[in-house]
Amino acid sequence: MRLVDKDHSDIPSDPKKLDETLPVVPVNFEKLENPDPKSIQILWIGHATVFVQMEGVNILCDPLFSERCSPTFKVGGVELLKHFGYKRYRPVPCKIRDLPRVDVVLISHDHYDHLDTESIMEVKEKFPKAKYYVPMGLKEWFTSCGCVEANIEERQWWEEIQHPLPGQKNQNLTFACTPAQHWCTRNGMLDQNKRLWCSWAVKGPTHSFYFGGDTGYNKIAFQQIGKKYGPFSLSALPIGAYEPRWFMHPQHVSPEESVEIHKEIRSKFTLGVHWGTFKQMGCFEYYLEPPELVKKHLEKLNLPARSFRTINHGEVWTISTEEVNS
């Protein structure tokens, strides 16, 4: 075990340079307000936060809109620790209040870069009818934030939730809590692994979506997910925060491993996420390396470049039924 590893991230301190290399583009709200009912589309908000629209249902995954991912405590109305923790080096392209509607909030696990108190509180206030689908053990945390208990569903791996499709009698989206290789804590050793972590498979009559959350590589688990719930129209898989490898490999996949997951779950199209937003513990890889390694591994496996791609912060990627079925 090495005690010191060289940090190769080399994130520019000049905002203009970051604007060139990692642009944040204006969100096409027209697309979000009027999504093509026959397509599936995804907005990358940053890090692992994505907004997915499919089958008439709007899904917000691991919402993190705060400036920092860190614990926040209030004492006498004063927020403590708010200015500590990892600060984003790319701003959010929109606010929660800008989103047209949130029907479902999907949570993969309880780490601060995936479960943000301020963001959940804002969703609760703006979209009081939103449902929260979470891994086992997180319901109590959501009720402590004031979320209505009836709106919270928690599941073990391989358990499902049926979400009615709007305006369609006896038609549902199936939300399946699926395995991931990770861990949980919000208070250090006091609650380590007291709650479950997961990925999510979402199956509808026309389209399907897989949200990888945070995970290390486990070939058997991903093959099982692909066999049971694949193929997927679209997936969001992590591609960043993988160096130093000796430390990160059990919990964070490399870009090459993410491409392997793309194959194993049988995803037609995949968006690479969990990169280009925060300088976290680890993240010693060059800040622009993740998409380059994805591209190289796709070429090595003779897979189409468009099948697994990255997009700009704020960009909306729309995939038609014809593309999925081609």
Side-chain angles (χ1 to χ4, degrees):
M1 180 183 294
R2 299 186 296 274
L3 297 180
V4 178
D5 288 273
K6 187 173 180 181
D7 187 345
H8 297 279
S9 57
D10 197 24
I11 300 168
S13 57
D14 182 0
K16 292 183 178 179
K17 181 65 175 177
L18 282 169
D19 287 342
E20 294 174 3
T21 57
L22 275 176
V24 178
V25 302
V27 176
N28 187 337
F29 289 108
E30 172 64 24
K31 268 191 171 185
L32 299 187
E33 292 284 355
N34 301 287
D36 180 354
K38 295 182 180 180
S39 299
I40 180 171
Q41 67 183 20
I42 187 167
L43 161 67
W44 187 40
I45 294 166
H47 197 56
T49 307
V50 293
F51 183 66
V52 178
Q53 296 176 290
M54 58 181 290
E55 316 276 7
V57 177
N58 293 349
I59 307 165
L60 182 60
C61 303
D62 284 358
L64 172 55
F65 289 75
S66 298
E67 182 71 9
R68 295 178 183 269
C69 51
S70 61
T72 300
F73 300 100
K74 286 189 176 181
V75 178
V78 178
E79 290 185 334
L80 304 178
L81 300 183
K82 183 177 181 180
H83 299 291
F84 295 89
Y86 305 113
K87 183 179 180 181
R88 63 172 69 237
Y89 60 88
R90 292 281 73 199
V92 288
C94 64
K95 303 295 185 183
I96 289 170
R97 62 178 178 269
D98 299 326
L99 298 175
R101 190 185 73 251
V102 174
D103 300 307
V104 175
V105 175
L106 273 190
I107 300 295
S108 64
H109 65 298
D110 68 5
H111 286 164
Y112 288 100
D113 61 321
H114 292 257
L115 181 58
D116 177 58
T117 304
E118 289 186 0
S119 297
I120 294 299
M121 297 293 280
E122 288 184 40
V123 172
K124 179 195 70 171
E125 295 300 321
K126 176 65 177 176
F127 305 105
K129 294 182 180 180
K131 304 294 186 181
Y132 300 88
Y133 298 159
V134 305
M136 189 61 66
L138 269 176
K139 177 180 277 191
E140 183 180 356
W141 184 91
F142 277 85
T143 57
S144 73
C145 290
C147 297
V148 178
E149 185 172 356
N151 289 343
I152 309 162
E153 299 274 0
E154 57 180 7
R155 292 293 188 271
Q156 301 274 12
W157 289 351
W158 304 117
E159 292 182 343
E160 298 176 352
I161 300 165
Q162 299 302 321
H163 184 95
L165 288 178
Q168 298 188 43
K169 189 175 181 180
N170 301 323
Q171 292 283 321
N172 297 309
L173 273 188
T174 298
F175 287 80
C177 179
T178 47
Q181 182 174 294
H182 206 55
W183 58 291
C184 280
T185 184
R186 286 182 80 81
N187 297 302
M189 296 301 293
L190 296 176
D191 66 345
Q192 191 169 45
N193 296 336
K194 296 289 181 67
R195 293 174 286 269
L196 190 61
W197 53 93
C198 71
S199 57
W200 287 95
V202 186
K203 298 287 287 185
T206 305
H207 287 293
S208 54
F209 171 66
Y210 178 74
F211 180 59
D214 240 358
T215 187
Y217 185 61
N218 188 313
K219 186 181 184 73
I220 293 174
F222 295 119
Q223 287 178 334
Q224 289 175 333
I225 293 167
K227 182 177 181 181
K228 187 173 178 65
Y229 292 109
F232 293 96
S233 307
L234 174 65
S235 299
L237 295 177
I239 63 170
Y242 51 87
E243 292 286 354
R245 207 74 201 109
W246 66 266
F247 177 67
M248 302 305 289
H249 80 89
Q251 55 193 314
H252 287 170
V253 290
S254 68
E256 295 90 345
E257 289 170 334
S258 197
V259 174
E260 294 296 328
I261 296 170
H262 163 81
K263 286 175 49 188
E264 286 151 5
I265 63 173
R266 299 190 292 150
S267 187
K268 181 73 175 184
F269 296 100
T270 294
L271 175 68
V273 299
H274 202 271
W275 76 285
T277 310
F278 289 97
K279 177 68 173 76
Q280 302 169 266
M281 178 178 62
C283 286
F284 280 9
E285 70 271 8
Y286 178 54
Y287 81 111
L288 294 177
E289 182 181 75
E292 289 301 316
L293 293 186
V294 166
K295 182 180 178 181
K296 287 181 180 179
H297 204 59
L298 289 171
E299 292 173 351
K300 179 180 178 181
L301 299 178
N302 293 316
L303 294 174
R306 181 172 164 77
S307 68
F308 193 135
R309 59 181 293 222
T310 57
I311 59 178
N312 294 320
H313 294 80
E315 187 174 345
V316 179
W317 181 17
T318 304
I319 301 166
S320 67
T321 305
E322 291 75 22
E323 288 179 282
V324 171
N325 294 332
S326 64

